[in-house]
Amino acid sequence: LASGPSEAQASRAFVEEPRWEVKRLARGSLGFLGAGRVAGPADRTRIGSETVRTSTMDYEAYTPDSTSRLKSGYAYRVLGHDAATYYQYAIYVAEGVAKNSYNSLRGIKDWRTDDANGEQNDLPALSKGKLKDFFYIRNLYGNIEDVFNRPVYSSPEDWIDVAIREPESTRGFFSKLVTTPQSRRCLNLGSYNYLGFGGLNTHCTPLVVKSVLEHPITSGSCSAELGYSTHVKQVEETTAKFVGKDSAVVVGMGFATNSTVIPALCGVGDLILSDALNHNSIVEGARLSGAKIKAFKHNCVGDLELLLQQAVAGKGARYNKILVIVEGIYSMEGELCKLPAIVEVCKLYGAYVWLDEAHSIGAVGATGRGVCEELGVDPADIDVMMGTFTKSFGAAGGYVAGDAETVARVRQYSAGCTDAVSMPPAVCTQILASLRVIAGEDGTDIGAKKLCQLRDNALFFRQGLEALGLEVLGEHPSPVMPVMLYQPYKIGDFSRLAFNRKLAVVVVGAPATPVTYPRVRFCVSAAHSREDLADALAAIGDIADELQIKFKLYPPARNALFGGATGSLSDVEKREEREREKRLEEALAARPAALEAAAALSGGRNTAKFAPLHSRGAPLGDDLGAPVTKSQKSSQGPADSYSLTGITAQPKKYDVVLSSQDVLGLTDDQVMKEECAATVETLGLGSCSPRGFYGTFPPHMDVEKSIAEFLGVQEAVLYSFGACTVSSVIPALAHRSDVAVVDRGVGHGVLAGLRLSKMDVRWYNHGDAEDCARVFANLEAEDGVTSARLARPGRRRWLITEGCFAGTGRIAPLPALLDLKDTHHARLILDESSSFGAMGATGRGITEHFGVDAARVDVIAASLENAGASVGGFCAGDTGVVAYQRLMGSGYVFSASLPPYLATAAAHAVRRIAAEPRLVARAAASAQALRDAVLAGRVPGLTTDADELSPVVPLRLAAGAAAG
């Protein structure tokens, strides 16, 4: 039950939010003077109207590491790339170990792995089972941390104001970096703002601001319930028309469009064939589906066909259906997929095709319709067309387009549609405005000119990089251009020297790439001027000379110890191309026999697809993937329940709303909307980048600080989507060698996290602390521990529960669970999605409700889509818990950051809750009144299992009541 919005005057009376100012500096030229120096005004940094001396982290006096004799950038000419890279890594690791050893001797703790709660309770280290990750963080990442997660003080356009950071302490090494008010104006070569619709522009920004002020911040409900608005419907219909499909469904997060939709279409008994270099969101979605997964060699049609032959005509298991998943443009390689050949092969063997157009929709093709248009493939031959709105459209979220039955299945079963609020109205407005311009429906040729400009800029910049002698990956017309660096010291060196020359670039190394293949990745935009790109190429040429990375002009030596190979990725790609040709020959030779065998197995219908794409395996449950029954496999697909129930019709006005997640009634608060509108007017709508790659803005840092202070913990980290928060937190922290003790009442997010983590899971009865104690006792017996004071276990243990269960309204017995986790040396992961902001005297959740210290909980995760009146989620706890997720949390690392205005909304909500406890009290009273009425029999035929003071009151049929 919503408590209703508070009076505007009352809300304004308390709001004294910290406002961050962004002073836009004059653009000017890049003004290069050569290595290590920047001309004129860049020698100083402007704060407001004052000019001050900059800190050491602006790299004005920076001397590249790889130019020293010991770390020589010339080594590859003698040793070859592989040997030179391993040689540098040896020095790199030794340097990191030496610095950490010095810190230890001085008593300086490593803040990135700080685990105060674990140390206090004598728990196995967070690094247990993840030594490789923690070794990398402690000894390698610390050397280059300053080149990632750089905050941005301006809107994500062609030029951005990048914050300058400085060490928090001058003691020792690897100090935590803090953001200063200083910034440097940089040419943005790291953003996915391909068409320039991100940031501030006349086409979208005024309409978005108007939408923020006129509509609620979010719908407060998922699309499967009351969140299917006319805005969402219009985006879906416009998108389907644009990509050439019958129907489309949108999801509020690009990452989640893959990770939550693939499990809706595939399950146990199905086969997923995935390109070896597919994005993490695809990998996660495939793993969550429970289907059999096989990876084929990157862009190797022959290897794909051999796997298909084995699947349809081999002696192994027969599959319900086969789904082949590829990307339109592979962003780490800059390559287009071999779509025509892939489609041809899939047709032969009856496999379905899923095309991820995250980096290609709106970026390639004559009219921006992606790789199908670019490569001449009929969209009708693609069964599922997926794309994101975070890049070319400057918005957020993604879409899946296909036939009506497939889309209907997604609406019913995708967690992105059932477990998260629907796409916010302002985001819909941004998408529609940019789509209309791209499609020319605004009556102008602006969209066509933008597409032409992007294509021309991409060609100009690629040719310029190649002319410099750099090793450039990929092909035209990809707007993403990776350039090889190879040696690890050059990762930090390139970024710092580029920043000194007013260039914002993205560098990437292990574990995101193979250890010997670090690279810098340039992204061009239609918003870039030819003059700026030419100046950037001149600067890059200077940097390339200084770091010795003109590998095409000065090739690496061949090393006998490495089989006479140079170690060059271009040489590796040549070998792989020969391997592709060989695999294709094998597949072609085996094709007639395979098709004949498949025809015999399928009764002569070898070209018919196995089962409808909308058929589905088993949903996630506490069995974590039991075999499906025959009846489940033979599903004929759903009716469109949205149409049948009237959800897709014009929304109705309701006097009383009983299913809104907006429990405090803040989504339509006027002051909140004004704050959000101010953010849009300053930063635009979408971030156009992940947090690590120039996607961190002041509102993101503000809400993280606000949540941590509100809960009384060390730090918090912001995720972009509520449904992907706890499902990212669990696998980021846990390891397959761990064991988890879990309440049977947990929801989809926890179930997904458990499946991804591959932990040993032990269930206890819902809300039953005694049964939880029984499970722990059994674990102790298994581990051979019988002492009164139980010793530290050999494997890590996790206790996982929701605070207030969304499915039942039961409240977890937190005090008893805390005692159990302390006794049995476990860590507690507490999902407070339903209790954060809605329980406790001041809304601090279930810990306040029971009067326990929040610091006793190791990990607190929650969605911000309930009392937070926004989108996204967070994880809070000790610094080490949070810092680790900034590198390993998939929903954080591999997703575009939350639109800044939605972070503003969440921060506003947190401060409102802290300042106005009456909001929480009013919502609690409403929920209690409903519970009391149901239990008193005043709602015939219905009852509830909700506990007293639960903010969630799920209703179910009472015993003996007739359905319908």
Side-chain angles (χ1 to χ4, degrees), residues 300-317:
C300 182
V301 181
D303 196 49
L304 170 61
E305 183 168 2
L306 289 172
L307 289 175
L308 284 168
Q309 290 171 356
Q310 182 182 7
V312 303
K315 296 181 179 180

Side-chain angles (χ1 to χ4, degrees), residues 548-742:
Q548 297 297 313
I549 60 172
K550 293 185 175 181
F551 302 126
K552 291 295 186 181
L553 297 182
Y554 308 102
R558 296 189 177 276
N559 193 314
L561 295 176
F562 290 84
T566 64
S568 169
L569 184 57
S570 59
D571 288 350
V572 172
E573 288 179 339
K574 290 176 183 177
R575 291 199 302 270
E576 289 178 346
E577 186 58 36
R578 292 194 294 270
E579 179 65 22
R580 289 189 187 104
E581 293 173 358
K582 181 180 177 181
R583 299 289 283 175
L584 184 58
E585 291 174 2
E586 293 176 11
L588 290 173
R591 182 181 290 177
L595 292 178
E596 183 178 353
L601 288 172
S602 59
R605 294 180 291 107
N606 60 291
T607 56
K609 295 178 177 173
F610 288 78
L613 181 57
H614 52 253
S615 66
R616 182 175 179 270
L620 287 178
D622 60 15
D623 57 351
L624 292 183
V628 297
T629 64
K630 186 174 182 180
S631 62
Q632 284 174 308
K633 283 189 177 184
S634 62
S635 166
Q636 295 303 305
D640 189 341
S641 61
Y642 279 34
S643 296
L644 294 176
T645 57
I647 291 178
T648 54
Q650 180 69 26
K652 301 177 182 178
K653 290 289 186 180
Y654 298 94
D655 295 328
V656 178
V657 178
L658 296 177
S659 70
S660 173
Q661 298 170 218
D662 178 24
V663 294
L664 303 184
L666 292 176
T667 59
D668 208 24
D669 180 79
Q670 190 60 34
V671 176
M672 176 185 282
K673 294 197 290 186
E674 290 172 2
E675 289 289 321
C676 291
T679 299
V680 173
E681 289 173 335
T682 305
L683 299 176
L685 186 123
S687 66
C688 301
S689 294
R691 289 288 298 273
F693 300 159
Y694 306 102
T696 294
F697 294 86
H700 299 130
M701 298 183 287
D702 180 30
V703 71
E704 288 175 342
K705 180 181 178 182
S706 297
I707 291 170
E709 291 177 349
F710 180 68
L711 292 177
V713 297
Q714 291 180 358
E715 288 197 36
V717 59
L718 178 67
Y719 281 84
S720 303
F721 203 52
C724 290
T725 299
V726 73
S727 64
S728 294
V729 170
I730 293 174
L733 296 172
H735 186 262
R736 66 171 62 199
S737 63
D738 300 344
V739 60
V741 178
V742 187

Side-chain angles (χ1 to χ4, degrees), residues 905-926:
H908 180 102
V910 170
R911 285 190 279 268
R912 285 287 300 279
I913 295 167
E916 298 184 55
R918 65 184 179 83
L919 294 174
V920 182
R922 191 190 313 182
S926 298

Side-chain angles (χ1 to χ4, degrees), residues 651-877:
K652 301 177 182 178
K653 290 289 186 180
Y654 298 94
D655 295 328
V656 178
V657 178
L658 296 177
S659 70
S660 173
Q661 298 170 218
D662 178 24
V663 294
L664 303 184
L666 292 176
T667 59
D668 208 24
D669 180 79
Q670 190 60 34
V671 176
M672 176 185 282
K673 294 197 290 186
E674 290 172 2
E675 289 289 321
C676 291
T679 299
V680 173
E681 289 173 335
T682 305
L683 299 176
L685 186 123
S687 66
C688 301
S689 294
R691 289 288 298 273
F693 300 159
Y694 306 102
T696 294
F697 294 86
H700 299 130
M701 298 183 287
D702 180 30
V703 71
E704 288 175 342
K705 180 181 178 182
S706 297
I707 291 170
E709 291 177 349
F710 180 68
L711 292 177
V713 297
Q714 291 180 358
E715 288 197 36
V717 59
L718 178 67
Y719 281 84
S720 303
F721 203 52
C724 290
T725 299
V726 73
S727 64
S728 294
V729 170
I730 293 174
L733 296 172
H735 186 262
R736 66 171 62 199
S737 63
D738 300 344
V739 60
V741 178
V742 187
D743 189 296
R744 286 192 180 275
V746 295
H748 179 276
V750 172
L751 292 173
L754 293 172
R755 174 167 282 180
L756 292 170
S757 71
K758 299 183 179 179
M759 283 191 291
D760 179 10
V761 179
R762 308 295 176 89
W763 302 97
Y764 66 90
N765 293 334
H766 182 36
D768 189 341
E770 291 184 2
D771 194 53
C772 182
R774 176 192 61 79
V775 173
F776 270 119
N778 290 341
L779 279 178
E780 300 296 353
E782 288 180 23
D783 294 341
V785 178
T786 58
S787 62
R789 172 57 182 157
L790 300 173
R792 178 191 293 190
R795 54 179 173 171
R796 290 192 307 179
R797 298 168 179 172
W798 300 90
L799 175 56
I800 304 177
T801 181
E802 294 181 27
C804 176
F805 292 85
T808 64
R810 299 282 303 278
I811 298 174
L814 186 62
L817 295 179
L818 286 171
D819 289 342
L820 285 171
K821 77 102 178 175
D822 290 341
T823 301
H824 296 277
H825 296 272
R827 297 177 189 273
L828 175 62
I829 297 179
L830 179 64
D831 183 350
E832 290 228 57
S833 294
S834 295
S835 49
F836 175 78
M839 291 187 68
T842 61
R844 285 170 169 80
I846 190 173
T847 54
E848 185 180 45
H849 172 78
F850 283 111
V852 300
D853 185 358
R856 290 186 62 192
V857 179
D858 302 89
V859 183
I860 298 175
S863 169
L864 288 168
E865 297 173 6
N866 301 323
S870 185
V871 174
F874 70 85
C875 177

Side-chain angles (χ1 to χ4, degrees), residues 9 17 88 105 166 241 260 283 320 334 633 650 735 784 919:
Q9 288 184 339
E17 303 184 25
Q88 268 205 15
L105 291 172
E166 62 185 14
K241 177 183 176 182
T260 70
V283 174
N320 181 45
K633 283 189 177 184
Q650 180 69 26
H735 186 262
L919 294 174

